[in-house]
Amino acid sequence: MQKIAGLVCWCLTIQLLVATSLDELRQQDPTLWPGHLQPFGAKQTTVEVEQIDYWPEPIDFFKEYVEKNRPVVFKGLAKRSPAYKLFTDEFLKDFPGSKEFQVSAEPHKKEIRKTQPLYMSFHDFVSRYHNESLYMVNALPEELRKHVLMPAPLRCEETKELLSSQVTWFSSGGTKSVLHNDDVDNINCLYRGSKELLFIEYNKNKKHVPLDHPEGGYSSLDVDSVDYTKYPALRFVDQYHHVTMEEGDCLFIPYHWFHQVNSIASDGGQNLAVNVWFQHVFGHRPQQCDIAPINATLDKYKFAEDEPDNAEDGQNEMNEEDTEKFPLLSTIEYILEKKKSISLKLFVKMLFKNPRLNPMKMKVRPPIPEDIVKTLKEMFAVLDITKDGAIKSEDLDKIEKIDDEQQIKTSGEVLNQGFAVIEDFFEDLVEDHHQEQLRSQQGESSKEKDEL
């Protein structure tokens, strides 16, 4: 009897060791991780995004969704817009000016960010898109804006100054976006077809999501076949948020949240959405929100992208507080007029005080994160042509004489990506500060309730 018990114990021990070894193997080998070489999010835990069937009051929208970075689906509310009934192929092909208005169309339904777009008239696009792999991503023509209502939470006088741009997404379905995020907030309203979206919360997962193109805010991972050997950190994403947008829905996509979008055609072969992007501002509490629907169509609003470039040609005067209007080399030239050289320390100080990268003038408390230090050193190395540990006038002279196109391209990519990384760094500092304020306000409110 003791031998049998010992044998059973030995077998259980072997099974435990085998199971432990397999678990360790799975931990070490990314090819065994759930979802490897499968579509993005295919094997991950998902939760459904909140749905409501009404527009919240603007103050509540900014307080409860924008500031708290909470996505939300507004069920059926795009149906209130005249565009929901009007935007048929026949109507869009022949609206006044359709043959003159030029649009940009991507030649692939699976997004490739660096592909050159095709240009054609709106009329030509509608005539061709059912039979070709075309995806229109373009501002809506002025003539059509009068049929699209501004989402109700944005219909306030104080909010007008936050409006960044509006974009139309138009295809015959089957489109797939890259995994990306935006540095603005966004309400997207769907007038034809449906969309499937997967979100990843930014604040909890910003170190896990591989945005290897920070200058464009996107990842090069293949959304049809996620390679965990190439992007192992993605495994540690805690949770995916899922949305199915049906025809007539609107969706709030929070600032910085990572997302990937797939579109499905309607029975008529259309997928068409219009989104409104607006600047992310903490503490926005609009009061003048009595704009009637008749005055709330997109043609009644001005977006930042509509403003003409009013920079004067030949402007060469600059002060240190206005460097955001000028390219990096011009800023360096200006500083070198006062100093013989720019050390790495001064270079970092110059970037950290740049109003474009750090508009809120956030102070950086040491230690500086390792990835930011690495980025700063890479940018400095590109400009320190002589490799003597300082940027001097002779470095700029050598830069101007570079005729190797590949070197120019590579250096430009390093600088562009560096700017994007540093800009994101300061945006994170601002958002962390705002969230700390929010937690403090909530704590004070909770304390007051307890005292009552």
Side-chain angles (χ1 to χ4, degrees):
M1 197 64 183
Q2 289 180 344
K3 289 183 178 180
I4 294 174
L7 183 61
V8 170
C9 183
W10 180 79
C11 290
L12 290 173
T13 301
I14 293 297
Q15 288 178 354
L16 181 62
L17 288 172
V18 169
T20 301
S21 297
L22 287 173
D23 186 58
E24 289 177 350
L25 181 62
R26 292 190 187 99
Q27 294 284 341
Q28 297 170 4
D29 185 357
T31 65
L32 299 176
W33 295 350
H36 178 64
L37 298 184
Q38 295 188 45
F40 178 68
K43 296 294 182 179
Q44 279 62 49
T45 301
T46 60
V47 295
E48 294 298 314
V49 167
E50 177 186 359
Q51 297 183 358
I52 58 178
D53 59 2
Y54 59 91
W55 290 121
E57 291 297 319
I59 287 180
D60 294 334
F61 170 71
F62 280 95
K63 183 178 180 180
E64 297 300 323
Y65 295 101
V66 174
E67 287 185 9
K68 295 182 180 179
N69 291 318
R70 291 168 54 197
V72 59
V73 179
F74 303 108
K75 293 296 296 179
L77 300 189
K79 295 179 180 180
R80 299 179 182 180
S81 188
Y84 181 72
K85 293 182 177 179
L86 289 176
F87 281 6
T88 63
D89 282 347
E90 292 73 18
F91 178 86
L92 294 172
K93 187 187 297 185
D94 296 317
F95 71 86
S98 66
K99 293 183 179 180
E100 290 74 37
F101 189 86
Q102 294 294 301
V103 300
S104 169
E106 297 178 4
H108 306 288
K109 289 191 174 183
K110 185 175 180 180
E111 185 178 14
I112 303 173
R113 282 283 174 106
K114 294 187 177 182
T115 299
Q116 290 297 315
L118 303 175
Y119 295 96
M120 63 193 74
S121 71
F122 204 111
H123 175 91
D124 286 346
F125 173 81
V126 179
S127 301
R128 295 167 54 180
Y129 83 102
H130 285 292
N131 302 313
E132 299 179 43
S133 181
L134 295 175
Y135 187 14
M136 191 187 96
V137 182
N138 202 91
L140 199 64
E142 189 74 25
E143 180 66 27
L144 296 181
R145 295 186 194 186
K146 64 185 181 183
H147 304 301
V148 178
L149 284 171
M150 177 68 72
L154 306 181
R155 296 178 202 166
C156 303
E157 290 297 329
E158 300 93 333
T159 305
K160 287 181 178 180
E161 64 182 20
L162 303 183
L163 298 177
S164 174
S165 61
Q166 50 81 24
V167 176
T168 306
W169 311 83
F170 191 6
S171 74
S172 59
T175 64
K176 298 178 182 180
S177 80
V178 293
L179 176 62
H180 65 288
N181 71 358
D182 303 309
D183 57 5
V184 285
D185 288 306
N186 168 15
I187 294 182
N188 184 298
C189 290
L190 183 63
Y191 298 105
R192 293 291 181 273
S194 59
K195 290 185 184 290
E196 297 285 338
L197 299 93
L198 278 177
F199 287 106
I200 296 175
E201 186 176 352
Y202 178 78
N203 289 331
K204 291 182 179 180
N205 299 288
K206 56 188 173 185
K207 293 183 179 180
H208 304 148
V209 177
L211 291 193
D212 47 1
H213 289 277
E215 76 287 357
Y218 71 97
S219 173
S220 60
L221 70 79
D222 185 347
V223 297
D224 285 325
S225 181
V226 178
D227 187 347
Y228 280 109
T229 63
K230 188 175 181 181
Y231 304 107
L234 193 62
R235 184 193 182 202
F236 299 105
V237 170
D238 66 334
Q239 194 174 63
Y240 288 65
H241 299 253
H242 175 258
V243 173
T244 297
M245 285 184 77
E246 298 177 322
E247 200 164 276
D249 290 347
C250 293
L251 168 68
F252 170 59
I253 301 176
Y255 160 87
H256 271 182
W257 272 49
F258 308 105
H259 53 289
Q260 193 273 321
V261 189
N262 300 325
S263 71
I264 301 96
S266 65
D267 291 341
Q270 284 182 306
N271 191 280
L272 192 157
V274 177
N275 79 317
V276 173
W277 275 317
F278 54 101
Q279 294 299 319
H280 183 77
V281 176
F282 187 86
H284 185 63
R285 297 290 185 270
Q287 302 291 330
Q288 298 172 287
C289 303
D290 55 352
I291 299 175
I294 193 171
N295 295 317
T297 50
L298 295 190
D299 60 312
K300 304 294 197 307
Y301 293 81
K302 292 297 180 183
F303 297 84
E305 68 171 11
D306 297 330
E307 296 297 323
D309 185 2
N310 55 12
E312 295 181 12
D313 292 336
Q315 184 176 6
N316 55 19
E317 295 184 3
M318 184 188 326
N319 59 64
E320 292 180 78
E321 295 300 317
D322 202 28
T323 55
E324 81 276 14
K325 293 182 179 178
F326 299 85
L328 178 62
L329 294 183
S330 296
T331 306
I332 290 174
E333 286 176 352
Y334 172 74
I335 293 176
L336 287 177
E337 289 178 3
K338 299 181 177 182
K339 299 179 179 291
K340 292 183 179 180
S341 65
I342 297 175
S343 64
L344 175 60
K345 183 177 180 180
L346 179 57
F347 179 74
V348 172
K349 183 179 179 181
M350 180 184 77
L351 289 180
F352 280 9
K353 286 191 173 182
N354 187 291
R356 178 182 174 186
L357 299 176
N358 185 11
M360 301 300 292
K361 298 182 180 180
M362 299 296 292
K363 293 184 178 180
V364 180
R365 298 175 182 173
I368 300 175
E370 290 183 10
D371 59 327
I372 301 301
V373 172
K374 180 183 176 184
T375 295
L376 291 164
K377 288 181 176 179
E378 289 173 348
M379 295 175 71
F380 186 80
V382 165
L383 298 168
D384 179 16
I385 300 293
T386 57
K387 305 305 176 190
D388 61 356
I391 301 171
K392 302 176 182 177
S393 295
E394 60 189 274
D395 291 307
L396 299 191
D397 293 339
K398 290 179 180 293
I399 289 172
E400 290 178 359
K401 294 175 182 177
I402 294 175
D403 57 7
D404 184 329
E405 290 187 7
Q406 184 57 46
Q407 184 181 352
I408 294 172
K409 180 180 178 182
T410 301
S411 298
E413 288 177 350
V414 170
L415 294 175
N416 286 336
Q417 290 192 7
F419 280 129
V421 168
I422 296 168
E423 191 171 25
D424 284 347
F425 170 62
F426 280 110
E427 286 177 353
D428 286 348
L429 288 183
V430 172
E431 188 61 22
D432 289 344
H433 175 67
H434 289 166
Q435 293 305 315
E436 188 176 324
Q437 284 183 302
L438 191 61
R439 287 190 292 271
S440 176
Q441 291 170 3
Q442 291 172 338
E444 290 176 2
S445 176
S446 177
K447 183 179 179 180
E448 289 175 0
K449 289 180 180 179
D450 292 341
E451 290 175 352
L452 290 173

